[in-house]
Amino acid sequence: MTDALKRLSDEGVAIWLDDLSRKRITSGNLAELIDQSHVVGVTTNPAIFQKAISGGEGYEQQLTDLATRKVTVEEALRMITTADVRDAADILRPVYDRTDGQDGRVSIEVDPRLAHNTPATIAEAKQLAWLVDRPNTLIKIPATKAGLPAITEVIGKGISVNVTLIFSLERYREVMDAYLAGLEKAKAAGLDLSLIHSVASFFVSRVDSEIDKRLDAVGTDEAKALKGKAALANARLAYEAYEEVFSSDRWTALERAGANKQRALWASTGVKDPAYKDTLYVDDLVAPNTVNTMPEATLEATADHGQITGDTVRGTYEQARAELDAVAKLGISYDDVVQLLEDEGVEKFEASWNDLLKSTEAELQRLAPTEA
């Protein structure tokens, strides 16, 4: 069942699970996925926690204790989510040790309501790193304009970062620049660069969802022929940018000082259009030194019938540029699409976080001891 997953790993793609819950931890499921399905990391986000805690098993005792202590709902939520991340990090610690810190990572996101507030994002990132207190944690910071200087500051303090919600090639270059600037600050402060790691989460399927919708509105045969191509083209050109930046003189100087490359991570790899093969954003995004974080359904589909045929990214750049150019010639604005997707991404995570706050507050009230 996992031959395709092994082939994917052998091609240099780290397989991370885009999901976490307490039941997954306590049942042994996460350990099983690590052992049998080549999973070497975990990503979380507000939507994942909202789903896990709102409908999940295993949280009632901690919620009862928190209700008894009369903590605020914000504090309760951070205690619950950091506990899950800490436990998952412990399960993944052997992978972290085996890979010299590259994998075996668990990501936890700063409060999405802070996405446009640089100082608060920095403070939250430091607090999360302290709360989880595991070396194999990645703090997720969104790639908003306000997020970029926060990335530099947090990396500069020696905290490893997963940069999330990247949709545009221009923003991706800004993210890589923010990472290099952070490494330079860390180096100037005398920190050990070899201990700092980062991934840049480049979102895939949502690009097709938005552009395909606009291609349908154009309605011509030419437009229909371009459906399902923009997301892969965008991601492949991101890898071209990665190759360029991490072969530059600026990077070479940092690498000599012990720095690690910021790997491109393919996020949002669950296929949303049933007309496309369910392993599209895995099979067609195989490149060395990348990460693919998959929802469990995509992981299982890849294990069952993924077609891993070697590198499917390098050598595609001219075709990728031609496909995005063809979309633009139909009057579909790339800049408009990627800005919309970034705005929607922040809004969706904020909505999930707010829903989670409300449901957690209701549970705390339900479980609060009655006054004598």
Side-chain angles (χ1 to χ4, degrees):
M1 279 289 285
T2 58
D3 283 352
L5 296 175
K6 183 180 186 304
R7 288 197 297 275
L8 189 62
S9 297
D10 290 345
E11 289 292 339
V13 180
I15 299 167
W16 291 8
L17 178 70
D18 193 28
D19 191 53
L20 186 64
S21 68
R22 192 155 295 179
K23 184 179 180 183
R24 196 181 283 285
I25 292 165
T26 58
S27 68
N29 173 262
L30 177 57
E32 185 178 292
L33 290 173
I34 295 164
D35 184 52
Q36 298 179 14
S37 298
H38 303 276
V39 168
V40 293
V42 167
T43 49
T44 68
N45 61 43
I48 284 169
F49 279 128
Q50 199 272 334
K51 178 184 172 187
I53 297 169
S54 299
E57 302 170 22
Y59 295 100
E60 185 147 317
Q61 183 58 60
Q62 189 178 13
L63 281 164
T64 300
D65 291 344
L66 292 164
T68 302
R69 288 176 51 216
K70 298 182 180 178
V71 304
T72 65
V73 64
E74 283 87 357
E75 184 184 351
L77 198 48
R78 275 312 183 202
M79 291 299 103
I80 293 165
T81 56
T82 55
D84 281 359
V85 168
R86 191 180 306 113
D87 289 343
D90 288 343
I91 294 168
L92 279 154
R93 183 60 189 263
V95 178
Y96 170 84
D97 292 336
R98 187 176 74 240
T99 61
D100 292 326
Q102 178 158 269
D103 289 308
R105 296 276 176 175
V106 186
S107 299
I108 184 168
E109 189 142 356
V110 297
D111 186 330
R113 297 172 298 180
L114 307 177
H116 302 295
N117 184 329
T118 303
T121 294
I122 295 166
E124 170 95 343
K126 288 160 62 180
Q127 171 78 352
L128 282 174
W130 177 81
L131 273 174
V132 177
D133 193 28
R134 295 293 184 273
N136 50 329
T137 309
L138 290 171
I139 306 303
K140 291 180 85 172
I141 297 176
T144 56
K145 277 292 186 186
L148 295 171
I151 293 158
T152 295
E153 286 299 314
V154 172
I155 290 288
K157 293 182 185 304
I159 297 171
S160 295
V161 172
N162 176 343
V163 184
T164 188
L165 290 176
I166 308 171
F167 296 95
S168 85
L169 295 166
E170 180 184 1
R171 184 56 54 82
Y172 178 43
R173 286 184 179 275
E174 292 174 333
V175 165
M176 289 188 284
D177 181 72
Y179 175 60
L180 297 185
L183 289 175
E184 287 159 351
K185 285 177 86 82
K187 183 183 176 185
L191 300 182
D192 183 350
L193 300 191
S194 70
L195 300 178
I196 304 171
H197 286 260
S198 183
V199 294
S201 297
F202 202 87
F203 278 53
V204 185
S205 66
R206 295 186 196 181
V207 174
D208 269 343
S209 296
E210 183 60 32
I211 288 182
D212 282 0
K213 185 169 65 178
R214 299 183 187 209
L215 289 168
D216 280 335
V218 173
T220 63
D221 289 344
E222 184 186 6
K224 289 173 185 173
L226 287 167
K227 288 183 66 177
K229 293 184 176 178
L232 288 174
N234 200 38
R236 287 165 169 171
L237 292 176
Y239 192 79
E240 182 187 38
Y242 159 84
E243 288 189 304
E244 180 187 315
V245 170
F246 289 101
S247 60
S248 66
D249 291 343
R250 184 185 183 192
W251 165 249
T252 302
L254 288 163
E255 189 173 37
R256 285 198 196 104
N260 299 290
K261 290 179 180 177
Q262 182 187 54
R263 287 183 292 173
L265 177 151
W266 311 128
S268 180
T269 55
V271 172
K272 293 180 170 54
D273 188 332
Y276 303 150
K277 63 177 180 177
D278 53 3
T279 58
L280 177 66
Y281 304 126
V282 179
D283 298 350
D284 290 11
L285 286 176
V286 177
N289 207 36
T290 56
V291 179
N292 194 311
T293 184
M294 309 179 201
E296 190 167 23
T298 304
L299 182 75
E300 290 175 349
T302 303
D304 182 61
H305 52 264
Q307 297 177 331
I308 309 304
T309 57
D311 190 329
T312 50
V313 173
R314 291 181 297 184
T316 67
Y317 305 144
E318 282 189 31
Q319 180 67 26
R321 256 187 291 279
E323 286 165 351
L324 289 187
D325 286 347
V327 169
K329 284 174 184 171
L330 293 173
I332 296 170
S333 167
Y334 176 87
D335 290 343
D336 181 66
V337 167
V338 294
Q339 187 58 56
L340 174 71
L341 290 172
E342 180 186 304
D343 293 343
E344 284 183 349
V346 172
E347 288 168 9
K348 285 175 182 175
F349 280 171
E350 189 171 330
S352 294
W353 195 253
N354 285 332
D355 287 345
L356 185 49
L357 285 168
K358 287 175 191 168
S359 58
T360 303
E361 187 168 34
E363 284 296 284
L364 291 170
Q365 290 173 352
R366 180 179 72 83
L367 296 167
T370 52
E371 297 293 335

